[in-house]
Amino acid sequence: MLKAVKRKRRQEERESVLVYGTPVNIIVGSHVWVEDTDVAWIDGQVEKMNGQDVEITAKLSKIYPKDMEAPAGGVDDMTKLSYLHEPGVLQNLKIRYELNEIYTYTGNILIAINPFQRLPHIYDAHMMQQYKGAPFGELSPHVFAVADVAYRAMINEGKSNSILVSGESGAGKTETTKMLMRYLAYLGGRAVTEGRTVEQQVLESNPVLEAFGNAKTVRNNNSSRFGKFVEIQFDKQGRISGAAVRTYLLERSRVCQISDPERNYHCFYLLCAAPQEEIEKYKLGHPKTFHYLNQSKCFELVGISDAHDYIATRRAMDIVGISEKEQEAIFRVVAAILHIGNIEFTKGKEADSSVPKDDKAKFHLNTVAELLIIQQLYRISTMYWDDKYGTHSVSPDVIANMRVLMTEDSNNAVSNSFLLDDDSSIPFSVDDLSKSMERIEIGDVEPPPLIRENSGFSFLLPCSG
């Protein structure tokens, strides 16, 4: 008979007990672990046995011996356990976790349990100094120790090394990766590039990646919805000389569809919390006004300021070398995606045609056209129609001025050119489109016949008002 916390049932089973291939004798008085559907494992003591016929609460093959000599505070390396089975491992991790020891070794593998709170004191510069060069296992288990071993092996053997961070959602992979990168940046010296240290650029890549690749899920407020391979390059002196980040498996479906109480990617909420001039420029509002965000009732995260994170993300983008012009283009696309989600169509008069449902849909459609500079592209394309078909949709003065600008820019790549007449091509950089349009006053534009008469091209038509 076995004393159990939950329930008892009678079951007879003739089986031998094996723990990692080693026979273990279960006798009266043995302390054992028994599998339980509610709490995973419960401990108990065998009180009565009759050969192999035992009154127990589970199959004999599901019973594991309990180590009664294990230290009260657990062990820091689970290879020291007398029985390395699942209930013994989980019990040891539980004991250490309750003592705020979130790291435990199993040989050279580090197991980390998410504390769900910030513990800055175990990641500060003093802690880094302690683990720098310390033999593995001499100090308490720590992510810095793993990073230090990998770094020393790379330096001593002259070979590349890898650290694999794995776990289920919410386990702490993202934060662990940050700590690894911080420690390697600490070891990697102070190589300076254009006023910014390389290690700064390496570390600041994290908030940029998180803004565009992380989202709140049911289990995790900052879940990475993508995988990443971070490569940090060192010179022969062990100093950081460069880095590369490769991402994959982005959860694209989340952009258009989310479930309550999850959130979409952080970048959408950050932009909606940007300074007022940014809000007005991108014609944004509260997240609840956008279809791609209001499918869930969760718009804010406890203890997190989206407005603060927006500023931090922009600063990080500066540090990693993303120019102001590139940042502007990135957030134009982010804003345009939000507006695209609010565009609704209804059946048009022509067969198989569609038109914007109402004025609200037209507003968002026009905003998308402005943000993605579709109007500018369209208007330049009309100049080709003017020359070839004589539609006179743009005044001769405008065409003349544009030709002058394009001719001045003739050294740019031909691949970015626009045809202006039947037998010549004048290169014109796409990067200069907005600048060129700002220098020319263009009034109402009459669209070419092909675009005007085909409703399928209606999104290219000039915005009204």
Side-chain angles (χ1 to χ4, degrees):
M1 182 177 181
L2 176 68
K3 289 182 179 178
V5 177
K6 295 282 184 180
R7 60 190 182 284
K8 293 183 180 181
R9 69 175 183 272
R10 182 183 178 84
Q11 182 175 358
E12 295 183 355
E13 187 78 35
R14 294 176 181 273
E15 294 186 33
S16 60
V17 181
L18 295 175
V19 178
Y20 283 79
T22 304
V24 176
N25 293 325
I26 301 295
I27 61 176
V28 173
S30 293
H31 290 267
V32 295
W33 290 101
V34 184
E35 194 170 27
D36 182 81
T37 57
D38 294 329
V39 294
W41 298 93
I42 54 176
D43 59 340
Q45 186 176 6
V46 176
E47 289 191 347
K48 184 178 180 180
M49 292 184 68
N50 182 16
Q52 286 293 317
D53 296 324
V54 189
E55 294 184 2
I56 57 177
T57 61
K59 290 183 179 181
L60 191 58
S61 60
K62 295 295 184 182
I63 296 178
Y64 296 90
K66 182 178 180 180
D67 184 5
M68 298 305 295
E69 298 180 0
V75 296
D76 60 1
D77 188 337
M78 289 190 289
T79 59
K80 299 175 183 178
L81 293 173
S82 298
Y83 303 111
L84 193 59
H85 48 52
E86 183 179 334
V89 167
L90 294 177
Q91 177 66 8
N92 186 69
L93 293 174
K94 179 175 181 288
I95 291 172
R96 288 179 59 78
Y97 186 78
E98 290 173 345
L99 297 174
N100 291 324
E101 297 286 351
I102 65 172
Y103 292 119
T104 306
Y105 290 132
T106 299
N108 61 355
I109 299 172
L110 179 68
I111 297 176
I113 301 181
N114 193 338
F116 292 100
Q117 59 178 307
R118 298 193 179 279
L119 302 173
H121 63 286
I122 68 172
Y123 302 109
D124 57 19
H126 174 70
M127 193 66 71
M128 291 184 189
Q129 183 61 39
Q130 281 190 312
Y131 280 88
K132 183 177 181 180
F136 188 78
E138 183 178 280
L139 301 176
S140 299
H142 201 290
V143 67
F144 290 165
V146 174
D148 195 82
V149 168
Y151 179 81
R152 301 298 163 192
M154 177 195 68
I155 295 298
N156 296 334
E157 299 174 14
K159 296 180 180 179
S160 298
N161 228 321
S162 298
I163 301 174
L164 176 64
V165 182
S166 66
E168 62 180 5
S169 179
K173 299 183 294 298
T174 299
E175 294 301 317
T176 297
T177 302
K178 288 182 190 177
M179 299 307 168
L180 287 168
M181 293 173 68
R182 276 190 58 205
Y183 186 77
L184 291 173
Y186 170 79
L187 295 177
R190 292 289 181 271
V192 179
T193 303
E194 295 181 1
R196 300 182 295 266
T197 63
V198 176
E199 56 265 33
Q200 270 185 314
Q201 293 177 297
V202 170
L203 296 178
E204 290 299 335
S205 67
N206 283 312
V208 177
L209 291 174
E210 289 180 20
F212 294 92
N214 287 25
K216 178 195 182 301
T217 63
V218 174
R219 303 178 62 182
N220 185 357
N221 282 356
N222 191 34
S223 178
S224 299
R225 311 313 300 161
F226 67 101
K228 66 181 176 182
F229 181 84
V230 182
E231 181 181 281
I232 302 178
Q233 296 138 2
F234 297 84
D235 60 22
K236 292 182 179 180
Q237 286 71 44
R239 295 179 178 273
I240 292 179
S241 59
V245 180
R246 297 179 180 89
T247 61
Y248 55 94
L249 299 179
L250 180 64
E251 187 186 26
R252 297 180 182 179
S253 60
R254 180 174 291 269
V255 173
C256 304
Q257 187 174 1
I258 55 175
S259 56
D260 202 19
E262 297 189 350
R263 293 207 320 174
N264 211 313
Y265 290 103
H266 294 327
C267 59
F268 297 116
Y269 303 89
L270 302 188
L271 191 55
C272 287
Q276 189 58 36
E277 59 269 22
E278 300 285 296
I279 297 292
E280 294 174 358
K281 178 169 63 175
Y282 299 126
K283 300 182 181 179
L284 298 174
H286 192 277
K288 67 183 178 183
T289 62
F290 294 101
H291 174 67
Y292 286 163
L293 306 183
N294 63 21
Q295 298 170 47
S296 168
K297 294 182 178 64
C298 180
F299 302 112
E300 299 176 351
L301 300 178
V302 177
I304 301 295
S305 168
D306 288 326
H308 174 271
D309 285 355
Y310 174 79
I311 301 299
T313 299
R314 294 298 292 257
R315 183 172 61 249
M317 294 172 84
D318 288 333
I319 293 175
V320 299
I322 302 176
S323 69
E324 189 69 28
K325 190 174 184 179
E326 290 170 328
Q327 292 181 39
E328 167 70 13
I330 289 169
F331 284 106
R332 273 180 175 271
V333 173
V334 172
I337 290 172
L338 289 177
H339 287 288
I340 287 173
N342 282 16
I343 300 173
E344 296 183 76
F345 293 94
T346 188
K347 183 175 176 58
K349 296 179 181 179
E350 302 175 15
D352 299 325
S353 66
S354 298
V355 295
K357 182 179 179 181
D358 50 30
D359 289 340
K360 178 182 176 182
K362 290 179 181 178
F363 166 78
H364 290 291
L365 183 60
N366 289 337
T367 302
V368 170
E370 293 174 12
L371 291 172
L372 300 183
I373 321 180
I374 290 176
Q375 266 191 282
Q376 284 90 326
L377 292 173
Y378 159 73
R379 285 170 174 168
I380 291 178
S381 72
T382 61
M383 297 172 196
Y384 170 74
W385 283 85
D386 271 323
D387 279 3
K388 192 167 184 178
Y389 298 103
T391 56
H392 304 295
S393 57
V394 182
S395 72
D397 292 338
V398 170
I399 295 177
N401 290 335
M402 183 62 77
R403 276 187 176 143
V404 170
L405 290 173
M406 290 182 173
T407 304
E408 290 173 353
D409 203 33
S410 60
N411 291 326
N412 287 318
V414 175
S415 59
N416 289 334
S417 67
F418 293 91
L419 288 172
L420 288 183
D421 49 49
D422 291 334
D423 56 3
S424 66
S425 175
I426 300 178
F428 182 75
S429 171
V430 174
D431 292 337
D432 295 330
L433 286 179
S434 297
K435 185 193 301 181
S436 300
M437 295 308 297
E438 289 171 2
R439 293 168 61 181
I440 300 175
E441 190 70 29
I442 296 182
D444 293 334
V445 178
E446 178 66 21
L450 178 63
I451 295 179
R452 183 176 64 249
E453 296 170 4
N454 191 327
S455 60
F457 292 103
S458 59
F459 70 96
L460 286 173
L461 298 180
C463 303
S464 59

